[in-house]
Amino acid sequence: MNDNGGRPQAKDVLEFISANFNVDYRPSNIYRLLHHLIFSWITSRSRHPNPNEEAQASFKKLPVGNDPSHTKPLTTRSS
């Protein structure tokens, strides 16, 4: 895994455990160990290497349905 994002792999966890706890595991046992410790394999979303700051700022200004400042009265269709 690198500092720019991505998902950690079993080898990354293996290296971390070995370096910090001086314990060696086989790669096949890393997932079992993490499951036993109730770790979830959910990771954050990676960042784009070349983000468009202007587009992101414009997107943030769009009205959102769950934002109270952008609500409209609810209308119903009559049949």
Side-chain angles (χ1 to χ4, degrees):
M1 191 172 89
N2 63 39
D3 292 336
N4 294 327
R7 298 175 182 238
Q9 298 177 339
K11 66 179 182 131
D12 300 317
V13 177
L14 184 70
E15 290 171 6
F16 178 83
I17 291 172
S18 181
N20 290 282
F21 300 103
N22 202 25
V23 177
D24 293 320
Y25 284 96
R26 292 192 315 218
S28 60
N29 288 328
I30 291 299
Y31 295 106
R32 186 179 299 127
L33 173 67
L34 292 174
H35 179 75
H36 178 74
L37 295 171
I38 313 174
F39 273 84
S40 176
W41 204 251
I42 298 172
T43 58
S44 62
R45 181 178 231 172
S46 299
R47 292 184 57 101
H48 191 279
N50 299 316
N52 183 333
E53 303 292 336
E54 184 179 326
Q56 289 177 4
S58 296
F59 183 79
K60 290 178 183 177
K61 293 177 184 176
L62 291 175
V64 182
N66 62 354
D67 184 344
S69 68
H70 296 113
T71 58
K72 293 181 183 177
L74 181 64
T75 59
T76 58
R77 269 193 297 176
S78 57
S79 24

